[in-house]
């Protein structure tokens, strides 16, 4: 039986593979529709091409790029404003349009910390996606973006304190933050080991990031395969319900 249709909304190319690649591949394997919205980087840039390869590997169609600039990399969207500087109403409306077009049961995005490292684009993508997920179901809000559609839930990709494990020292060693949530905040720990080959292939499709020493894909690519498997084989989520649980619920 197919799992619920799922739309992932993440900040950067590679986020989709690193924090939800296993769940995306799992839903596709069950027969569900999946899609990926990326809030930064513009079409035609090298990382947009890498994202297309990664999304294809995960079976999630073609990338849906909002095309705003990364907070720290102006060349990510030449001539465009940073995501952080885009008017809130505009950014929310863009995501509402994608939700109404795709009509997912579940929306997946960053947690309130913006994952372990707290990147400002991650945090802001979390905020605008939560607003958009609510607004998408309201007929008289962003009416120009299509017929209303209310997802059943938003799943926040996160890391519990007990689940950081071997990843923690790897991040702190290169000066990155380590922002985890109490274990009680995690509603699902998904074993994605059966889909790990697809997930890792999608991570490696982000070639420019895998070549960087301090990026997570780069760090992971230099690890022994067994250590990398332990780090990547579980994905964690916090569930925020948007409509009654009589809606389809994933068997997580």
């Amino acid at each position: 039986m197919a799992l619920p249709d799922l739309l992932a909304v993440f900040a950067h190319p590679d986020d989709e593979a690193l924090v939800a690649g296993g769940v995306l591949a799992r839903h596709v394997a069950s027969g569900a529709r999946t899609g990926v919205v990326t809030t930064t980087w513009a079409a035609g840039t090298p990382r947009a091409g890498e994202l297309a390869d990664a999304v294809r590997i995960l079976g999630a169609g073609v990338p849906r790029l909002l095309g705003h600039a990364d907070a720290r990399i102006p060349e990510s969207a030449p001539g465009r404003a940073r995501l952080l500087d885009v008017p809130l109403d505009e950014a929310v409306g863009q995501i509402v349009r994608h939700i109404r077009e795709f009509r997912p049961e579940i929306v997946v995005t960053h947690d309130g910390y913006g994952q372990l490292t707290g990147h400002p684009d991650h945090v802001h993508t979390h905020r605008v996606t939560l607003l958009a997920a609510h607004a998408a179901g309201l007929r008289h809000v962003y009416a120009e973006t299509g017929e209303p559609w209310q997802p059943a839930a938003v799943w926040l990709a996160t890391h519990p304190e007990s689940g950081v494990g071997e990843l923690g020292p790897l991040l702190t060693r290169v000066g990155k933050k380590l922002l985890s949530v109490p274990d009680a905040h995690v509603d699902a720990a998904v074993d994605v080991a059966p889909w790990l080959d697809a997930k890792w292939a999608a991570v490696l499709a982000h070639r420019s990031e895998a070549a960087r020493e301090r990026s997570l894909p780069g760090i992971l690519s230099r690890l022994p395969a067994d250590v990398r498997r332990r780090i990547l084989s579980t994905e964690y989520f916090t569930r925020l319900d948007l409509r009654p649980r009589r809606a389809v619920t994933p068997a997580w």
Side-chain angles (χ1 to χ4, degrees), residues 79-101:
R80 297 287 303 275
R82 301 187 312 163
L83 172 68
L84 299 180
D85 299 327
V86 174
L88 182 63
D89 195 55
E90 178 182 340
V92 171
Q94 288 178 318
I95 297 174
V96 167
R97 183 181 298 278
H98 283 291
I99 291 173
R100 288 177 173 173
E101 287 177 355

Side-chain angles (χ1 to χ4, degrees), residues 18-156:
L18 287 166
V19 299
V23 159
L24 284 163
R26 182 174 188 255
H27 278 240
V28 168
S30 80
R33 295 182 304 116
T34 65
V36 174
V37 176
T38 306
T39 58
T40 69
W41 289 77
T45 58
R47 289 192 65 185
E50 294 171 357
L51 175 64
D53 291 341
V55 169
R56 175 184 51 77
I57 290 168
L58 294 172
V62 297
R64 298 163 179 259
L65 289 158
L66 300 192
H68 305 303
D70 184 304
R72 298 168 180 165
I73 308 175
E75 62 269 26
S76 60
R80 297 287 303 275
R82 301 187 312 163
L83 172 68
L84 299 180
D85 299 327
V86 174
L88 182 63
D89 195 55
E90 178 182 340
V92 171
Q94 288 178 318
I95 297 174
V96 167
R97 183 181 298 278
H98 283 291
I99 291 173
R100 288 177 173 173
E101 287 177 355
F102 193 88
R103 303 174 80 81
E105 284 293 317
I106 298 171
V107 172
V108 178
T109 191
H110 302 283
D111 69 6
Y113 285 145
Q115 313 305 144
L116 287 171
T117 60
H119 192 294
D121 288 337
H122 294 185
V123 175
H124 197 57
T125 296
H126 162 83
R127 293 168 179 160
V128 297
T129 301
L130 287 188
L131 290 171
H134 283 282
L138 302 175
R139 181 173 299 278
H140 301 297
V141 179
Y142 301 103
E144 72 283 1
T145 66
E147 288 298 309
W149 174 260
Q150 183 63 75
V154 175
W155 286 88
L156 307 178

